[in-house]
Amino acid sequence: MDSENKQQLIARLRTIEGHIRGVQRMVAEDVYCMDILKQTRAIQRALHRLDSLILENHLNTCVTTALRSDADAERERVLHELMQVFDATKRK
Amino acid sequence: MDSENKQQLIARLRTIEGHIRGVQRMVAEDVYCMDILKQTRAIQRALHRLDSLILENHLNTCVTTALRSDADAERERVLHELMQVFDATKRK
Amino acid sequence: MDSENKQQLIARLRTIEGHIRGVQRMVAEDVYCMDILKQTRAIQRALHRLDSLILENHLNTCVTTALRSDADAERERVLHELMQVFDATKRK
Amino acid sequence: MDSENKQQLIARLRTIEGHIRGVQRMVAEDVYCMDILKQTRAIQRALHRLDSLILENHLNTCVTTALRSDADAERERVLHELMQVFDATKRK
């Protein structure tokens, strides 16, 4: 991953960390539970957008390199891994 | 929410916060991106289990009280909110 | 479920059945696989909207009746069932 | 898609079509709505497994061919399409 992508991911993770701490305060202060639920779901959506960035970077680098190589085992490994990402999305 | 449930939720949120910081380190240390993705998905599952606890508490307290009351508007409000939780689950 | 709701659900299920047959034809006629995938996903969204109608009807009838009754076991059963619906949504 | 894969997909789609007709009968016969919901969710899981087969075939054929070619625009198109599949999975 290049330096710019790394900085962007870390910045997003810090925002998410702050969001989690905000939810801790909401629980401690007895905020209405359905309002807390809205926040935990917003965090899950933010994590999903993060996954999307990670996967996009992965496709443009590792997957492209592997599929263009002549190493059959590596190509299979990378495609198998992509299938796991897809299958896990529903179970997540 | 009773004190025991609150303590449990806050303890889980602190664990999730630590998990998020761990992912920041993984990104900084150039860990393989598919391994990072596994961690961000584990965090999303942990948040979903948290939602489940919040919702269970909500059903046993607010929803039960509202549905047993004679306040039609309040009953409708609570059921409408539950439908939103269900509809949002797929979009989350 | 009242007669109007039943007719509406059956009409939607017939539309979904026709959609499934359309996808069979697409496969047989070698349509581009990503276009087939768009259709199978549209069907899944249609089924989710159907679930939403079924659940809304359930909340307004069975759940409301159970929670207003004095039968503790029945109240617990209905709430437990709702939690299963929520928990299963992510795994579906 | 080779002939064997096509036959397998069509067979699965026919099973799903029969399952949908079974749910129509359940609605007509006033089966308990939470039992109907279990069936519509089983159908959604079956469709997701079908998506998985379609995607696996796509990765092994179109995506591999495109990424190994020197046509930049085609490579970008295929990767962009994969990202849409991933992003849509949560919204589905």
Side-chain angles (χ1 to χ4, degrees), chain D residues 5-46:
Chain D
N5 275 332
K6 277 171 62 172
Q7 289 315 310
Q8 193 192 16
L9 285 186
I10 290 173
R12 280 176 184 249
L13 285 161
R14 285 205 182 118
T15 305
I16 291 169
E17 188 192 333
H19 206 157
I20 297 267
R21 274 199 297 270
V23 175
Q24 290 169 28
R25 278 191 299 275
M26 289 173 86
V27 174
E29 291 166 5
D30 286 314
V31 170
Y32 180 51
C33 41
M34 288 296 99
D35 290 332
I36 296 174
L37 203 68
K38 277 179 199 154
Q39 296 309 313
T40 59
R41 292 181 158 212
I43 294 169
Q44 286 167 77
R45 283 193 301 271

Side-chain angles (χ1 to χ4, degrees), chain C residues 26-72:
Chain C
M26 290 173 84
V27 173
E29 292 166 5
D30 285 314
V31 169
Y32 179 51
C33 41
M34 289 296 99
D35 290 334
I36 296 174
L37 203 68
K38 275 179 199 155
Q39 296 309 312
T40 59
R41 294 185 156 211
I43 295 169
Q44 285 166 76
R45 282 194 300 273
L47 282 164
H48 185 67
R49 285 192 296 271
L50 192 87
D51 285 354
S52 196
L53 289 177
I54 295 172
L55 188 63
E56 189 168 23
N57 178 73
H58 181 62
L59 287 172
N60 285 314
T61 56
C62 313
V63 176
T64 299
T65 305
L67 291 192
R68 290 178 73 81
S69 84
D70 292 319
D72 286 4

Side-chain angles (χ1 to χ4, degrees), chain A residues 37 41 44 86 89-92, chain C residues 37 41 44 86 89-92:
Chain A
L37 203 68
R41 293 182 158 213
Q44 286 166 76
F86 175 77
T89 306
K90 285 308 273 300
R91 263 174 295 133
K92 185 172 54 191
Chain C
L37 203 68
R41 294 185 156 211
Q44 285 166 76
F86 175 76
T89 307
K90 284 310 271 305
R91 262 174 296 136
K92 186 173 52 192

Side-chain angles (χ1 to χ4, degrees), chain B residues 1-2 4-5 10 12-15 19 25-26 29 31 36-37 43-44 46-47 57 64 68-69 73 75 82-83 87:
Chain B
M1 207 176 288
D2 64 33
E4 196 186 339
N5 275 333
I10 291 173
R12 279 175 183 250
L13 284 161
R14 286 206 181 117
T15 305
H19 206 158
R25 278 190 299 275
M26 290 173 85
E29 292 166 6
V31 169
I36 296 174
L37 203 68
I43 295 169
Q44 285 167 78
L47 283 164
N57 178 73
T64 299
R68 290 179 73 82
S69 83
R75 270 149 58 183
L82 276 183
M83 282 311 299
D87 286 339

